[in-house]
Every structure is written in structure tokens, then in C-alpha cells.
Amino acid sequence: MTLRYDVDAVVLDIEGTTSATGFVVDVLYPYSRSRFAALLTERADDPAVSRAIAQVRELTDTPDADAVQIEKSLNAWLDEDRKATPLKTLQGIIWSEGFARGDLVSHFYDDVVPALRAWHTAGLRLYVYSSGSVAAQRAWFTSSPEGDLLPLVSGLYDTENAGPKQEPESYRRIAAATGTEPSRLLFLSDRPGELDAAVAAGWHAVGVRRPGEPYFEQGVGDHAQAGAFDEIGITSSRSTT
Ligand SMILES: CSCCC(=O)C(=O)COP(=O)(O)O
Ligand SMILES: [Mg+2]
């Protein structure tokens, strides 16, 4: 069955929705884990690194934590897949450099890129809202197996510039930043708490349930659901293209 929406913009979650959690956990996480120590010791004066270090100290209530202790906290968050903002900032720095060097190529499920191209061609604006940092998102879309997909995307949002993904206020912030009425926005995500927050902000939302993903068994509650993007038909009756 195809779900049908008439909206102006689609906002995409990455992990579990456009892309496999397994790829993130098995490829990207080890890549960052093995590089935290060097980043924390050799580049602690970089403004983004030093801000993330301060945020780790605050979140762990350890104002004097040294690089070894900070690294331990980062690795513990990695082990539990906790989407802590400073972890995501530091991963974003490491990954974007890895993508730029050609060490990494991102992953998209087979149904995703054709759908993104079709929606873009139909005049829809596409945005990303992920716990992964904006730097990581940019690299992810730039270095895809199908080449540079970044031109398809009109804006990138993360927990720094929009706020936590399970809070309706974050979705209100994104709607305002994109200049789009909430009722003209469609959010695609694998996590029920994120879908709840988007709907509470007046958005449409579809739960993407892919076999093998962490939330597949649990389901997406009462939200509309799709197993792949080709089950979602989107038009934009207000589009001028
Ligand atoms: C390019 S972001 C890499 C994935 C990641 O680290 C992450 O936290 C994604 O979380 P999401 O909110 O997209 O489920
Ligand atoms: Mg997700």
C-alpha cells in the first residue's frame, strides 16, 4: 500500500531510516573510537574540540576530567549508542575528515536515493534532521556510493542547531528556520519518540520500519508506517517547479 502526502518539504532521519544502523555501528563507530585519543590530545585547542570537551565534563559532572577520562566517557556512550551532543560533534570532526580522505563511503538503503531524486525533481525541499552532527551529515551526503547527493538537500539540522529529537520544540524550530508551515512538513524516522514529537509540533510523520533495524520489532505506535521509501508517495501541490 502506498501512503500519500501533499507537503512542501520532507525531513529525513538518517540512522535506521535512510541508512543502516549496522553500518553506522560497525564501520563509523570503530573509526571514531580509534581516533578520539589523538583528537583530544593533539587538537584540544581547536574551538569545536574544546567546546565538546567542556560539554563532556559538564554532562559527566567531572570538571577536571583529563583526555583519558574524556575518552572513556565517549567510548561508554558509544557502547550504549547514546546520542550525546559532544560525542556527535567529535565523531563529526573525525568522520568528515575520513570521508574527505576517501577512507569512508556512506550507506543508503537501495530505495532511498531514487526516492530522494524523484521528490527533489517534483519540487519538494529535502532536509536532514539527525543526531549525527551537521558536519557528519554533510560528509555523509557528499560521499555516498552514488556520488554527491548534497545538492538535493536544502538544509541540515542536528541536536545543536535544532535541539533534542524527542522534543516538539525542536520541530517548531526547524519549521520556523525553513519557513514552512508545520502542516506542510513530513518527517521520516525509525524512532517512535521522534515521530511523537514531530506530530505534537503539527507535522506529518511516517515511521520507517526496516527488517533488522533496532526499532523494527517494537514498531512505531499509532503512526503511519512504511517498510521503504517507495511506499511513500509525495506531491507538492504548491510547488512552482
Ligand atoms: C551521518 S550521521 C551518522 C549516524 C549517527 O551518528 C547518528 O547518531 C544518527 O542518528 P539519527 O538521529 O540519524 O538516527
Ligand atoms: Mg534514526
PDB file of all heavy atoms in Angstrom, residues 1-7 10 115 118-119 122 124 186 188 206 225-226 228-236:
ATOM      1  N   MET A   1       0.837  -1.195   0.000  1.00  0.00           N
ATOM      2  CA  MET A   1       0.000   0.000   0.000  1.00  0.00           C
ATOM      3  C   MET A   1       0.880   1.256   0.000  1.00  0.00           C
ATOM      4  O   MET A   1       1.888   1.297   0.694  1.00  0.00           O
ATOM      5  CB  MET A   1      -0.872   0.015   1.259  1.00  0.00           C
ATOM      6  CG  MET A   1      -1.999   1.005   1.170  1.00  0.00           C
ATOM      7  SD  MET A   1      -2.931   1.148   2.715  1.00  0.00           S
ATOM      8  CE  MET A   1      -1.850   2.158   3.702  1.00  0.00           C
ATOM      9  N   THR A   2       0.497   2.238  -0.814  1.00  0.00           N
ATOM     10  CA  THR A   2       1.279   3.477  -0.842  1.00  0.00           C
ATOM     11  C   THR A   2       0.613   4.540   0.040  1.00  0.00           C
ATOM     12  O   THR A   2      -0.576   4.792  -0.073  1.00  0.00           O
ATOM     13  CB  THR A   2       1.390   4.004  -2.291  1.00  0.00           C
ATOM     14  OG1 THR A   2       1.976   2.986  -3.087  1.00  0.00           O
ATOM     15  CG2 THR A   2       2.242   5.252  -2.353  1.00  0.00           C
ATOM     16  N   LEU A   3       1.412   5.151   0.909  1.00  0.00           N
ATOM     17  CA  LEU A   3       0.927   6.283   1.706  1.00  0.00           C
ATOM     18  C   LEU A   3       1.006   7.514   0.819  1.00  0.00           C
ATOM     19  O   LEU A   3       1.926   7.628   0.009  1.00  0.00           O
ATOM     20  CB  LEU A   3       1.824   6.467   2.926  1.00  0.00           C
ATOM     21  CG  LEU A   3       1.934   5.286   3.885  1.00  0.00           C
ATOM     22  CD1 LEU A   3       3.096   5.495   4.841  1.00  0.00           C
ATOM     23  CD2 LEU A   3       0.633   5.100   4.639  1.00  0.00           C
ATOM     24  N   ARG A   4       0.068   8.453   0.954  1.00  0.00           N
ATOM     25  CA  ARG A   4       0.097   9.634   0.091  1.00  0.00           C
ATOM     26  C   ARG A   4       0.071  10.925   0.918  1.00  0.00           C
ATOM     27  O   ARG A   4      -0.726  11.053   1.844  1.00  0.00           O
ATOM     28  CB  ARG A   4      -1.102   9.642  -0.865  1.00  0.00           C
ATOM     29  CG  ARG A   4      -1.198   8.397  -1.712  1.00  0.00           C
ATOM     30  CD  ARG A   4      -1.528   8.684  -3.183  1.00  0.00           C
ATOM     31  NE  ARG A   4      -1.352   7.439  -3.948  1.00  0.00           N
ATOM     32  CZ  ARG A   4      -0.300   7.151  -4.669  1.00  0.00           C
ATOM     33  NH1 ARG A   4       0.701   8.020  -4.754  1.00  0.00           N
ATOM     34  NH2 ARG A   4      -0.204   6.002  -5.315  1.00  0.00           N
ATOM     35  N   TYR A   5       0.971  11.843   0.537  1.00  0.00           N
ATOM     36  CA  TYR A   5       1.060  13.131   1.239  1.00  0.00           C
ATOM     37  C   TYR A   5       1.196  14.258   0.237  1.00  0.00           C
ATOM     38  O   TYR A   5       1.858  14.095  -0.797  1.00  0.00           O
ATOM     39  CB  TYR A   5       2.275  13.154   2.184  1.00  0.00           C
ATOM     40  CG  TYR A   5       2.116  12.175   3.320  1.00  0.00           C
ATOM     41  CD1 TYR A   5       2.573  10.869   3.177  1.00  0.00           C
ATOM     42  CD2 TYR A   5       1.477  12.547   4.496  1.00  0.00           C
ATOM     43  CE1 TYR A   5       2.382   9.937   4.188  1.00  0.00           C
ATOM     44  CE2 TYR A   5       1.289  11.628   5.510  1.00  0.00           C
ATOM     45  CZ  TYR A   5       1.745  10.326   5.359  1.00  0.00           C
ATOM     46  OH  TYR A   5       1.547   9.413   6.351  1.00  0.00           O
ATOM     47  N   ASP A   6       0.584  15.387   0.565  1.00  0.00           N
ATOM     48  CA  ASP A   6       0.793  16.626  -0.192  1.00  0.00           C
ATOM     49  C   ASP A   6       1.454  17.610   0.780  1.00  0.00           C
ATOM     50  O   ASP A   6       0.797  18.131   1.685  1.00  0.00           O
ATOM     51  CB  ASP A   6      -0.554  17.166  -0.681  1.00  0.00           C
ATOM     52  CG  ASP A   6      -0.392  18.465  -1.468  1.00  0.00           C
ATOM     53  OD1 ASP A   6       0.753  18.954  -1.608  1.00  0.00           O
ATOM     54  OD2 ASP A   6      -1.411  19.003  -1.929  1.00  0.00           O
ATOM     55  N   VAL A   7       2.747  17.782   0.641  1.00  0.00           N
ATOM     56  CA  VAL A   7       3.519  18.644   1.546  1.00  0.00           C
ATOM     57  C   VAL A   7       4.528  19.453   0.720  1.00  0.00           C
ATOM     58  O   VAL A   7       4.678  19.222  -0.487  1.00  0.00           O
ATOM     59  CB  VAL A   7       4.276  17.805   2.617  1.00  0.00           C
ATOM     60  CG1 VAL A   7       3.304  17.160   3.599  1.00  0.00           C
ATOM     61  CG2 VAL A   7       5.186  16.773   1.973  1.00  0.00           C
ATOM     62  N   VAL A  10      10.257  17.435   2.971  1.00  0.00           N
ATOM     63  CA  VAL A  10      10.439  16.170   3.683  1.00  0.00           C
ATOM     64  C   VAL A  10      11.692  16.310   4.541  1.00  0.00           C
ATOM     65  O   VAL A  10      12.727  16.785   4.071  1.00  0.00           O
ATOM     66  CB  VAL A  10      10.630  14.999   2.695  1.00  0.00           C
ATOM     67  CG1 VAL A  10      10.742  13.679   3.445  1.00  0.00           C
ATOM     68  CG2 VAL A  10       9.487  14.944   1.693  1.00  0.00           C
ATOM     69  N   ALA A 115      14.151   7.656  -4.512  1.00  0.00           N
ATOM     70  CA  ALA A 115      13.029   8.436  -3.964  1.00  0.00           C
ATOM     71  C   ALA A 115      13.452   9.888  -3.732  1.00  0.00           C
ATOM     72  O   ALA A 115      12.712  10.819  -4.069  1.00  0.00           O
ATOM     73  CB  ALA A 115      12.544   7.814  -2.656  1.00  0.00           C
ATOM     74  N   ALA A 118      13.520  11.667  -7.018  1.00  0.00           N
ATOM     75  CA  ALA A 118      12.164  11.899  -7.556  1.00  0.00           C
ATOM     76  C   ALA A 118      11.466  13.012  -6.783  1.00  0.00           C
ATOM     77  O   ALA A 118      10.828  13.889  -7.396  1.00  0.00           O
ATOM     78  CB  ALA A 118      11.346  10.608  -7.472  1.00  0.00           C
ATOM     79  N   TRP A 119      11.571  13.016  -5.474  1.00  0.00           N
ATOM     80  CA  TRP A 119      10.906  14.055  -4.671  1.00  0.00           C
ATOM     81  C   TRP A 119      11.520  15.425  -4.973  1.00  0.00           C
ATOM     82  O   TRP A 119      10.809  16.420  -5.090  1.00  0.00           O
ATOM     83  CB  TRP A 119      11.023  13.732  -3.184  1.00  0.00           C
ATOM     84  CG  TRP A 119      10.289  12.477  -2.780  1.00  0.00           C
ATOM     85  CD1 TRP A 119       9.257  11.880  -3.455  1.00  0.00           C
ATOM     86  CD2 TRP A 119      10.523  11.668  -1.616  1.00  0.00           C
ATOM     87  NE1 TRP A 119       8.848  10.744  -2.795  1.00  0.00           N
ATOM     88  CE2 TRP A 119       9.600  10.591  -1.660  1.00  0.00           C
ATOM     89  CE3 TRP A 119      11.407  11.721  -0.545  1.00  0.00           C
ATOM     90  CZ2 TRP A 119       9.539   9.598  -0.665  1.00  0.00           C
ATOM     91  CZ3 TRP A 119      11.350  10.741   0.443  1.00  0.00           C
ATOM     92  CH2 TRP A 119      10.430   9.698   0.378  1.00  0.00           C
ATOM     93  N   ALA A 122      10.304  16.638  -8.205  1.00  0.00           N
ATOM     94  CA  ALA A 122       8.893  17.049  -8.116  1.00  0.00           C
ATOM     95  C   ALA A 122       8.730  18.395  -7.405  1.00  0.00           C
ATOM     96  O   ALA A 122       7.612  18.880  -7.241  1.00  0.00           O
ATOM     97  CB  ALA A 122       8.089  15.981  -7.388  1.00  0.00           C
ATOM     98  N   LEU A 124       9.865  19.171  -4.250  1.00  0.00           N
ATOM     99  CA  LEU A 124       9.885  19.140  -2.783  1.00  0.00           C
ATOM    100  C   LEU A 124      11.250  19.554  -2.268  1.00  0.00           C
ATOM    101  O   LEU A 124      12.272  19.222  -2.863  1.00  0.00           O
ATOM    102  CB  LEU A 124       9.588  17.717  -2.312  1.00  0.00           C
ATOM    103  CG  LEU A 124       8.119  17.348  -2.453  1.00  0.00           C
ATOM    104  CD1 LEU A 124       7.972  15.896  -2.826  1.00  0.00           C
ATOM    105  CD2 LEU A 124       7.392  17.678  -1.166  1.00  0.00           C
ATOM    106  N   LEU A 186       6.782  16.813   6.313  1.00  0.00           N
ATOM    107  CA  LEU A 186       6.672  15.371   6.570  1.00  0.00           C
ATOM    108  C   LEU A 186       8.002  14.873   7.116  1.00  0.00           C
ATOM    109  O   LEU A 186       9.050  15.075   6.498  1.00  0.00           O
ATOM    110  CB  LEU A 186       6.352  14.624   5.265  1.00  0.00           C
ATOM    111  CG  LEU A 186       6.380  13.093   5.341  1.00  0.00           C
ATOM    112  CD1 LEU A 186       5.292  12.564   6.282  1.00  0.00           C
ATOM    113  CD2 LEU A 186       6.206  12.492   3.940  1.00  0.00           C
ATOM    114  N   LEU A 188      10.334  11.654   8.349  1.00  0.00           N
ATOM    115  CA  LEU A 188      10.517  10.198   8.211  1.00  0.00           C
ATOM    116  C   LEU A 188      11.564   9.751   9.216  1.00  0.00           C
ATOM    117  O   LEU A 188      12.709  10.202   9.177  1.00  0.00           O
ATOM    118  CB  LEU A 188      10.988   9.849   6.793  1.00  0.00           C
ATOM    119  CG  LEU A 188      10.155  10.399   5.635  1.00  0.00           C
ATOM    120  CD1 LEU A 188      10.721   9.925   4.295  1.00  0.00           C
ATOM    121  CD2 LEU A 188       8.690   9.968   5.768  1.00  0.00           C
ATOM    122  N   VAL A 206       5.906   9.718   9.236  1.00  0.00           N
ATOM    123  CA  VAL A 206       5.819   8.296   8.853  1.00  0.00           C
ATOM    124  C   VAL A 206       6.947   7.542   9.534  1.00  0.00           C
ATOM    125  O   VAL A 206       8.112   7.952   9.471  1.00  0.00           O
ATOM    126  CB  VAL A 206       5.929   8.115   7.317  1.00  0.00           C
ATOM    127  CG1 VAL A 206       6.052   6.635   6.956  1.00  0.00           C
ATOM    128  CG2 VAL A 206       4.724   8.728   6.619  1.00  0.00           C
ATOM    129  N   GLN A 225       3.080   3.915   8.777  1.00  0.00           N
ATOM    130  CA  GLN A 225       4.386   3.278   8.650  1.00  0.00           C
ATOM    131  C   GLN A 225       4.640   2.760   7.236  1.00  0.00           C
ATOM    132  O   GLN A 225       3.718   2.455   6.494  1.00  0.00           O
ATOM    133  CB  GLN A 225       4.534   2.146   9.645  1.00  0.00           C
ATOM    134  CG  GLN A 225       3.487   1.074   9.541  1.00  0.00           C
ATOM    135  CD  GLN A 225       3.744  -0.013  10.569  1.00  0.00           C
ATOM    136  OE1 GLN A 225       4.622  -0.846  10.402  1.00  0.00           O
ATOM    137  NE2 GLN A 225       2.973   0.012  11.638  1.00  0.00           N
ATOM    138  N   ALA A 226       5.933   2.707   6.899  1.00  0.00           N
ATOM    139  CA  ALA A 226       6.352   2.216   5.588  1.00  0.00           C
ATOM    140  C   ALA A 226       7.598   1.362   5.784  1.00  0.00           C
ATOM    141  O   ALA A 226       8.420   1.638   6.656  1.00  0.00           O
ATOM    142  CB  ALA A 226       6.661   3.397   4.664  1.00  0.00           C
ATOM    143  N   ALA A 228       9.714   0.936   3.262  1.00  0.00           N
ATOM    144  CA  ALA A 228      10.726   1.504   2.354  1.00  0.00           C
ATOM    145  C   ALA A 228      10.163   2.796   1.780  1.00  0.00           C
ATOM    146  O   ALA A 228       8.949   3.041   1.830  1.00  0.00           O
ATOM    147  CB  ALA A 228      11.049   0.522   1.229  1.00  0.00           C
ATOM    148  N   PHE A 229      11.059   3.620   1.208  1.00  0.00           N
ATOM    149  CA  PHE A 229      10.605   4.928   0.717  1.00  0.00           C
ATOM    150  C   PHE A 229       9.680   4.810  -0.496  1.00  0.00           C
ATOM    151  O   PHE A 229       8.908   5.733  -0.764  1.00  0.00           O
ATOM    152  CB  PHE A 229      11.815   5.797   0.353  1.00  0.00           C
ATOM    153  CG  PHE A 229      12.497   6.451   1.540  1.00  0.00           C
ATOM    154  CD1 PHE A 229      12.296   5.997   2.838  1.00  0.00           C
ATOM    155  CD2 PHE A 229      13.355   7.524   1.350  1.00  0.00           C
ATOM    156  CE1 PHE A 229      12.927   6.602   3.927  1.00  0.00           C
ATOM    157  CE2 PHE A 229      13.987   8.142   2.431  1.00  0.00           C
ATOM    158  CZ  PHE A 229      13.771   7.688   3.712  1.00  0.00           C
ATOM    159  N   ASP A 230       9.769   3.691  -1.251  1.00  0.00           N
ATOM    160  CA  ASP A 230       8.889   3.589  -2.428  1.00  0.00           C
ATOM    161  C   ASP A 230       7.439   3.289  -2.042  1.00  0.00           C
ATOM    162  O   ASP A 230       6.567   3.202  -2.905  1.00  0.00           O
ATOM    163  CB  ASP A 230       9.430   2.584  -3.458  1.00  0.00           C
ATOM    164  CG  ASP A 230       9.705   1.227  -2.845  1.00  0.00           C
ATOM    165  OD1 ASP A 230       9.217   0.958  -1.723  1.00  0.00           O
ATOM    166  OD2 ASP A 230      10.420   0.421  -3.486  1.00  0.00           O
ATOM    167  N   GLU A 231       7.175   3.168  -0.737  1.00  0.00           N
ATOM    168  CA  GLU A 231       5.794   3.028  -0.267  1.00  0.00           C
ATOM    169  C   GLU A 231       5.207   4.382   0.143  1.00  0.00           C
ATOM    170  O   GLU A 231       4.112   4.447   0.678  1.00  0.00           O
ATOM    171  CB  GLU A 231       5.747   2.074   0.946  1.00  0.00           C
ATOM    172  CG  GLU A 231       6.164   0.657   0.605  1.00  0.00           C
ATOM    173  CD  GLU A 231       6.332  -0.211   1.855  1.00  0.00           C
ATOM    174  OE1 GLU A 231       5.789   0.131   2.920  1.00  0.00           O
ATOM    175  OE2 GLU A 231       7.026  -1.231   1.748  1.00  0.00           O
ATOM    176  N   ILE A 232       5.974   5.443  -0.089  1.00  0.00           N
ATOM    177  CA  ILE A 232       5.524   6.783   0.310  1.00  0.00           C
ATOM    178  C   ILE A 232       5.428   7.658  -0.942  1.00  0.00           C
ATOM    179  O   ILE A 232       6.445   7.969  -1.571  1.00  0.00           O
ATOM    180  CB  ILE A 232       6.509   7.428   1.316  1.00  0.00           C
ATOM    181  CG1 ILE A 232       6.836   6.452   2.458  1.00  0.00           C
ATOM    182  CG2 ILE A 232       5.926   8.722   1.880  1.00  0.00           C
ATOM    183  CD1 ILE A 232       8.003   6.900   3.333  1.00  0.00           C
ATOM    184  N   GLY A 233       4.202   8.023  -1.312  1.00  0.00           N
ATOM    185  CA  GLY A 233       4.004   8.888  -2.479  1.00  0.00           C
ATOM    186  C   GLY A 233       3.838  10.326  -2.007  1.00  0.00           C
ATOM    187  O   GLY A 233       2.966  10.611  -1.187  1.00  0.00           O
ATOM    188  N   ILE A 234       4.706  11.218  -2.506  1.00  0.00           N
ATOM    189  CA  ILE A 234       4.627  12.607  -2.033  1.00  0.00           C
ATOM    190  C   ILE A 234       4.490  13.556  -3.222  1.00  0.00           C
ATOM    191  O   ILE A 234       5.262  13.468  -4.184  1.00  0.00           O
ATOM    192  CB  ILE A 234       5.882  13.002  -1.222  1.00  0.00           C
ATOM    193  CG1 ILE A 234       6.209  11.924  -0.183  1.00  0.00           C
ATOM    194  CG2 ILE A 234       5.662  14.337  -0.527  1.00  0.00           C
ATOM    195  CD1 ILE A 234       7.443  12.215   0.639  1.00  0.00           C
ATOM    196  N   THR A 235       3.535  14.441  -3.131  1.00  0.00           N
ATOM    197  CA  THR A 235       3.429  15.511  -4.121  1.00  0.00           C
ATOM    198  C   THR A 235       3.456  16.835  -3.383  1.00  0.00           C
ATOM    199  O   THR A 235       3.238  16.885  -2.178  1.00  0.00           O
ATOM    200  CB  THR A 235       2.093  15.413  -4.908  1.00  0.00           C
ATOM    201  OG1 THR A 235       1.045  15.252  -3.955  1.00  0.00           O
ATOM    202  CG2 THR A 235       2.109  14.270  -5.885  1.00  0.00           C
ATOM    203  N   SER A 236       3.708  17.895  -4.151  1.00  0.00           N
ATOM    204  CA  SER A 236       3.681  19.224  -3.561  1.00  0.00           C
ATOM    205  C   SER A 236       2.832  20.092  -4.442  1.00  0.00           C
ATOM    206  O   SER A 236       3.295  20.645  -5.439  1.00  0.00           O
ATOM    207  CB  SER A 236       5.111  19.780  -3.463  1.00  0.00           C
ATOM    208  OG  SER A 236       5.058  21.044  -2.853  1.00  0.00           O
TER     209      SER A 236
END
